[in-house]
Amino acid sequence: MTRGFRLDQRTFIANQNCNLKRRTGSESALYTRPVRQIIQTVSCVLIFVLAVVAGAVAQAEPDWTEPFPPFRIAGNLYYVGSTGLASYLVTTPQGNILINSDLEANVPMLEASIEKLGFKFADTKILLISHAHFDHDAGSAKIKEMTGAKYMVMDADVPVVESGGKLDFQYGDRPEFLYRPTKVDRVLHDGNEVRLGDTVLVAHLTPGHTKGCTTWRMQVTEGGKAYNVVILGSPNVSPGYKLVHNQNYPQIADDYVRTWSVLKSLPCDIFLGDHGSYFELEEKYARLKDGGANPFVDPSGYKKYVAEKEKEFDTELAKQKLAAK
Ligand SMILES: [Zn+2]
C-alpha cells in the first residue's frame, strides 16, 4: 500500500478547519449563539463526511478494481490480478498456488480470471502474499473459505494478518485499513521453500515496508530454457513512514538497508512485483500480444527499479535524519 494516506490528510484538514472556526468565533452576529453552534456543528459534520467520501474514493485507487486480462507470463506462471493489484497463479499437476489475495471485493474477479485461463479456483491449494497490507491480503479470509487453501505468511507479518491489520506498525489504528483477521496455516521464515508438485517458491524476507514483506523467487521453464523469476515485495517508503526514532519499528531503516542487499543479490530474468506499475505491466502486456521476445524477461529493468528505490530511500532517510537533529 502506498497511497492510502490521503484519507487521513483530508480528515485532518477538515478537523483543522472546524477547530479554527471554533477558536476565532468570527461568524456573523445575525445568528444567536445556539443557532451558530448548530450551523457550525452541521458544517463540521458535512465537511467531515465529504472529506471521508473523497478520501475513501482516493484511497481505493480506481485501477485496483479494474479488470485486467489474465494471461500466461511464462512456463506455469500466470497473471490473474487487476490492473493495479498484481496477483499470480502458479499451476502444478497437484493443484495451484495463488500469490496475493488483494481486496476482498476483488476475489470474484480473481476467481473469474483463473477460470478464464482454464483452471479451477477450487484447485488453489496454497495462498501466499507479498506483505500484510489490505490491498494485498484483505481477500485472504474469503479465498480460504472458498478453496480451503493453506495460508502461508512470513513470520513478522503473521501477527498483522491474524489481527486483521490491527498490529501493523503504521496503520494499525486506522479503521479504513483493517480487514477480516485471517488464520495463518504455516509460518514462513526467511529462505523457506514452498513446494507443490514439481514447483518450488523461495520466500525472501525483504522488510521495511512491512516487517515481514516478502519477495518471492522461483524458476520457470519456457522453450526449454530456465528463467529466474522475482516477484518483488513492496520496496516503497510510504508517506508518513518514520525512518528515524520509530518507536513501533525501531529497526526500520536497517531493515530497508538489508532489503536492498537482498534484492541486489537475487538473480532475476523475469521481473514482477505486487503492483503492476512496478514493472510496467500494461506496456509489457501490449508488447507480449504483439509477439516477439517476451517483454517480461527484463533483468536490466529489475536492476534499474531496485537502484531507483534504494536512491529514494537514501534521500528520504537523509531528510529525516537532518530534521531529527
Ligand atoms: Zn503495502
Side-chain angles (χ1 to χ4, degrees), residues 1 131 133 209:
M1 174 168 47
H131 65 278
H133 278 159
H209 184 70

Side-chain angles (χ1 to χ4, degrees), residues 21 30 39 54 64 74 86 113-114 142 146 158 164 183 186 221 230 236 243-244 247 274 287 295 302 308:
K21 281 190 178 166
L30 286 171
I39 290 171
W64 285 5
S113 293
I114 290 169
K142 192 165 186 176
M146 291 171 78
V158 170
K183 177 88 182 70
R186 179 184 164 197
T221 308
V230 173
N236 291 309
L243 301 175
V244 180
Q247 287 184 343
D274 54 28
R287 279 160 51 204
Y302 174 74
E308 275 170 17

Side-chain angles (χ1 to χ4, degrees), residues 104 137-138 140-142 145 161-165 178-182:
E104 186 157 349
D137 73 351
S140 294
K142 192 165 186 176
E145 281 165 11
V161 164
E162 294 198 331
S163 66
L178 304 183
Y179 47 91
R180 282 166 66 189
T182 315

Side-chain angles (χ1 to χ4, degrees), residues 23-80:
R23 278 199 299 273
T24 56
S26 60
E27 272 78 10
S28 159
L30 286 171
Y31 301 119
T32 62
R33 194 181 168 86
V35 171
R36 273 208 312 270
Q37 275 175 351
I38 289 167
I39 290 171
Q40 225 172 52
T41 305
V42 169
S43 314
C44 285
V45 167
L46 271 177
I47 290 169
F48 180 80
V49 166
L50 283 173
V52 168
V53 168
V57 169
Q59 182 198 329
E61 298 289 329
D63 69 354
W64 285 5
T65 50
E66 185 183 288
F68 196 84
F71 67 98
R72 196 169 67 85
I73 299 167
N76 60 336
L77 175 64
Y78 297 80
Y79 188 87
V80 293

Side-chain angles (χ1 to χ4, degrees), residues 28-227:
S28 159
L30 286 171
Y31 301 119
T32 62
R33 194 181 168 86
V35 171
R36 273 208 312 270
Q37 275 175 351
I38 289 167
I39 290 171
Q40 225 172 52
T41 305
V42 169
S43 314
C44 285
V45 167
L46 271 177
I47 290 169
F48 180 80
V49 166
L50 283 173
V52 168
V53 168
V57 169
Q59 182 198 329
E61 298 289 329
D63 69 354
W64 285 5
T65 50
E66 185 183 288
F68 196 84
F71 67 98
R72 196 169 67 85
I73 299 167
N76 60 336
L77 175 64
Y78 297 80
Y79 188 87
V80 293
S82 64
T83 303
L85 299 178
S87 291
Y88 303 94
L89 189 75
V90 181
T91 60
T92 88
Q94 277 67 46
N96 305 327
I97 300 169
L98 179 61
I99 305 173
N100 290 333
S101 60
D102 305 340
L103 309 170
E104 186 157 349
N106 283 33
V107 173
M109 199 156 65
L110 278 171
E111 180 183 15
S113 293
I114 290 169
E115 304 266 337
K116 201 172 166 189
L117 289 167
F119 303 107
K120 289 196 172 69
F121 189 52
D123 286 342
T124 309
K125 303 290 182 202
I126 296 173
L127 176 60
L128 307 172
I129 53 168
S130 65
H131 65 278
H133 278 159
F134 77 103
D135 46 342
H136 309 289
D137 73 351
S140 294
K142 192 165 186 176
I143 291 174
K144 279 190 71 178
E145 281 165 11
M146 291 171 78
T147 66
K150 296 273 176 270
Y151 196 22
M152 304 183 184
V153 176
M154 186 64 82
D155 41 21
D157 269 359
V158 170
V160 181
V161 164
E162 294 198 331
S163 66
K166 281 190 183 153
L167 293 180
D168 182 86
F169 73 90
Q170 180 78 12
Y171 304 113
D173 57 355
R174 315 232 311 237
E176 68 276 20
F177 295 150
L178 304 183
Y179 47 91
R180 282 166 66 189
T182 315
K183 177 88 182 70
V184 171
D185 302 296
R186 179 184 164 197
V187 177
L188 300 170
H189 308 287
D190 185 28
N192 275 178
E193 292 180 348
V194 170
R195 288 176 177 270
L196 191 64
D198 49 4
T199 293
V200 183
L201 281 111
V202 184
H204 292 277
L205 175 66
T206 47
H209 184 70
T210 65
K211 293 179 183 179
C213 189
T214 308
T215 292
W216 289 101
R217 185 166 62 86
M218 66 178 290
Q219 276 202 338
V220 293
T221 308
E222 178 83 23
K225 213 180 149 193
Y227 294 91

